[in-house]
Amino acid sequence: MVLRSEILVNKNVLPTAEQALPGRETPMALPEKHFVFTETPLLGPFFENAVDFAIFGLGCFWGAERRFWQREGVISTVVGYAGGFTPNPTYEEVCSGLTGHTEVVLVVFDKDKLSYRELLAMFWELHNPTQGMRQGNDIGTQYRSVIYCTSPQQLKEAEASREQYQAELSKSGFGEITTEIDQAPTVYFAEAYHQQYLAKNPDGYCGIGGTGVCLPPSLQGN
């Protein structure tokens, strides 16, 4: 009999559905309020007229979430796991490489103040999207680059921005973008201590670091 722990030695290889851990039915308990936006419900309801949602994975979600909550026009941020098989996984299970999930940030934003195109530009420039199953020194499927789209329009804009950023990367000698772009799967929210982690632990680890390649300003606006 082959144990699950023996199935996947290489954390750079995604598990199959049969190999994935079983998970659980109960979601993680979350705080009601955002730790930084102290009067804002973490998961809503949101009363802005033009609220929208974006989902990005760009390596360790601690540093990524901080950069997004710092952006004007962002209403709330929540970190979690998406793109795998295991329902309601724990952080330890995701780290095992046996859930198939990557670490993501759900970004809630006001479209009257911040466009999805601006968020896409921010996403590309904050990390290296050519590294496959890693981000810097963080290695494994949980650190892969993803854009999960919440509407057909987002999917169209994300795919267009990938082509635009690839052109800029190629000029600077970088390889092909490996970012996964797809319709949004279920996002399983991470444990409470991960939410706004770097606001609670200002000296904590942040693996965010881009390539230094930027999109032209004409491709970043509304």
Side-chain angles (χ1 to χ4, degrees):
M1 178 179 178
V2 179
L3 300 176
R4 275 200 174 91
S5 61
E6 298 172 340
I7 290 174
L8 192 63
V9 176
N10 184 355
K11 291 186 180 181
N12 287 332
V13 178
L14 285 166
T16 64
E18 292 73 25
Q19 293 168 337
L21 297 171
R24 56 202 48 80
E25 294 182 2
T26 306
M28 299 296 168
L30 294 177
E32 291 186 6
K33 302 284 187 176
H34 196 280
F35 188 80
V36 177
F37 308 136
T38 55
E39 298 303 313
T40 301
L42 189 67
L43 296 174
F46 304 107
F47 300 105
E48 286 75 3
N49 293 328
V51 69
D52 204 353
F53 303 86
I55 303 167
F56 301 113
L58 51 157
C60 176
F61 51 23
W62 292 346
E65 185 189 22
R66 178 169 63 182
R67 295 300 294 268
F68 284 114
W69 84 54
Q70 290 173 339
R71 183 67 182 259
E72 185 177 357
V74 170
I75 298 166
S76 185
T77 54
V78 193
V79 297
Y81 317 111
F85 303 105
T86 302
N88 299 301
T90 65
Y91 180 67
E92 289 72 20
E93 288 171 341
V94 173
C95 288
S96 76
L98 285 170
T99 71
H101 293 297
T102 189
E103 296 185 16
V104 298
V105 183
L106 172 67
V107 181
V108 186
F109 63 104
D110 185 342
K111 292 190 294 183
D112 287 339
K113 299 179 179 178
L114 178 65
S115 72
Y116 186 62
R117 283 180 61 192
E118 289 173 304
L119 285 172
L120 285 168
M122 187 175 175
F123 164 81
W124 294 121
E125 294 171 9
L126 281 176
H127 76 305
N128 184 340
T130 70
Q131 294 187 313
M133 301 297 183
R134 60 185 284 255
Q135 195 57 218
N137 294 325
D138 295 325
I139 298 172
T141 55
Q142 80 192 76
Y143 300 113
R144 68 187 187 275
S145 174
V146 303
I147 303 172
Y148 290 138
C149 304
T150 62
S151 70
Q153 181 61 28
Q154 281 194 3
L155 185 62
K156 181 179 178 180
E157 291 186 25
E159 290 174 341
S161 74
R162 174 176 56 192
E163 299 306 311
Q164 294 160 351
Y165 196 58
Q166 181 66 68
E168 299 305 314
L169 285 174
S170 297
K171 292 176 186 176
S172 297
F174 287 90
E176 293 297 309
I177 288 173
T178 59
T179 302
E180 175 187 343
I181 299 178
D182 206 345
Q183 294 285 0
T186 300
V187 176
Y188 297 103
F189 298 121
E191 296 88 338
Y193 74 92
H194 286 298
Q195 307 300 331
Q196 299 85 62
Y197 181 87
L198 290 181
K200 303 168 186 172
N201 303 274
D203 296 325
Y205 171 76
C206 174
I208 288 296
T211 60
V213 177
C214 298
L215 276 169
S218 61
L219 299 176
Q220 295 192 30
N222 295 310

